[in-house]
Amino acid sequence: STQGVSSAASDVYKRQGLTAAVEATQAGSSVVVVEKNGFVGGNTILSGGIYNAPDPELQEPEGIEDSEELFYEQTYEAGDEVANPELVKVLTSQADDGLEWLKSLGMEFGDKIGQGAGSLHPRTHFSVKPNGTGFIDAFMENLDESGNAQILTETTAEHIIMKDGKSAGIKAKNYDGSDLTINAKQGVIVTTGGFAKNPEMVVEYKNAEKWPNLDEKTISTNLDSITGDGITMGEEVGADLVDICLLYTSDAADDTPC
């Protein structure tokens, strides 16, 4: 039986989830953010706090040549050319807009540009705050100021509620094990695609020919909570899986392309 019921205009589940929540509140919606961990931020908290985007103002004084086109070419080629080119173009062509949006939220970057870990060119902007805390602090401050966001930590989303072919909410578990139903007027945004800490899914979805050594003992720097919940919930309601073998496991290893 349902022991708790909450309603919201939309219902979002880490950095992607908080980004979506901020966008939704800026558009006038109210949101409920459901977070499995006891803190917000997911793997972003563990990140280096960097953001890549061409920035002539900082690059040209250093003699660095760059462009959206070069950013695209390097990103697509470094990914073994298996990514969706249209999505890579969105990433690289809108990187500057994203940078300015982050700054508008209060995110602070240093005044020097460099080449961060895993970056392909000196176009990296470094957060003033350590690791990924700068991103999360900026998102949370804006959500707090909006007055239209409810953050539920230690709450695990388990099922998407469908109504007339559309997402209408979720069923979740509270930190104490009790059931929670959240009804959403404008839909559910799922941002929990990672599954590197789910050994069974790693083995099931890996490209066995290209990555035969990936097994249940594969080491990952992901949080223990990254177990593919969003994929499971999506499949349950008929969602298609795309590029599922593109798995990110560790900061110290290559990603695993299909």
Side-chain angles (χ1 to χ4, degrees):
S1 63
T2 300
Q3 296 182 3
V5 178
S6 177
S7 296
S10 60
D11 168 35
V12 298
Y13 312 99
K14 333 206 179 240
R15 181 163 95 194
Q16 296 93 332
L18 294 179
T19 300
V22 171
E23 287 273 19
T25 57
Q26 288 181 334
S29 293
S30 58
V31 300
V32 176
V33 179
V34 177
E35 172 56 61
K36 184 178 182 179
N37 293 303
F39 55 89
V40 295
N43 277 338
T44 298
I45 293 292
L46 308 178
S47 74
I50 62 176
Y51 185 94
N52 289 311
D55 190 336
E57 185 177 338
L58 294 180
Q59 290 173 312
E60 289 179 358
E62 302 293 332
I64 301 168
E65 295 184 5
D66 201 5
S67 65
E68 288 182 8
E69 293 73 23
L70 179 61
F71 192 11
Y72 171 84
E73 291 171 8
Q74 290 180 325
T75 303
Y76 185 61
E77 291 171 4
D80 288 354
E81 300 185 356
V82 299
N84 183 327
E86 293 183 7
L87 295 181
V88 177
K89 188 145 290 189
V90 169
L91 168 71
T92 55
S93 67
Q94 297 184 18
D96 182 62
D97 290 341
L99 179 65
E100 294 307 314
W101 181 74
L102 286 167
K103 290 178 179 178
S104 75
L105 299 180
M107 174 75 182
E108 293 183 273
F109 293 96
D111 57 5
K112 295 290 185 181
I113 204 156
Q115 187 166 346
S119 302
L120 304 170
H121 196 68
R123 62 171 68 93
T124 303
H125 300 76
F126 298 90
S127 172
V128 171
K129 291 186 176 181
N131 303 105
T133 58
F135 293 102
I136 306 308
D137 288 350
F139 295 147
M140 290 300 293
E141 287 169 8
N142 279 267
L143 290 174
D144 288 343
E145 290 173 4
S146 76
N148 288 322
Q150 182 180 6
I151 314 295
L152 303 179
T153 56
E154 294 185 277
T155 304
T156 303
E158 296 186 329
H159 306 284
I160 298 172
I161 300 168
M162 300 294 290
K163 185 176 182 180
D164 299 326
K166 298 180 180 180
S167 59
I170 65 166
K171 290 186 178 296
K173 286 286 187 186
N174 283 310
Y175 68 94
D176 59 1
S178 60
D179 295 318
L180 173 67
T181 296
I182 301 176
N183 298 311
K185 298 176 183 177
Q186 296 181 24
V188 177
I189 301 172
V190 181
T191 62
T192 59
F195 59 91
K197 281 299 183 81
N198 185 324
E200 291 77 17
M201 290 182 77
V202 169
V203 172
E204 178 182 358
Y205 293 124
K206 74 176 183 179
N207 183 326
E209 181 178 346
K210 198 162 189 177
W211 302 98
N213 295 327
L214 278 179
D215 58 23
E216 292 87 349
K217 296 180 181 179
T218 297
I219 295 173
S220 173
T221 56
N222 282 213
L223 293 173
D224 289 341
S225 57
I226 311 301
T227 54
D229 301 1
I231 293 170
T232 302
M233 289 189 295
E235 279 192 295
E236 188 179 65
V237 295
D240 291 329
L241 301 181
V242 178
D243 295 333
I244 194 65
C245 56
L246 296 176
L247 171 64
Y248 178 80
T249 57
S250 170
D251 292 332
D254 291 336
D255 295 351
T256 57
C258 299

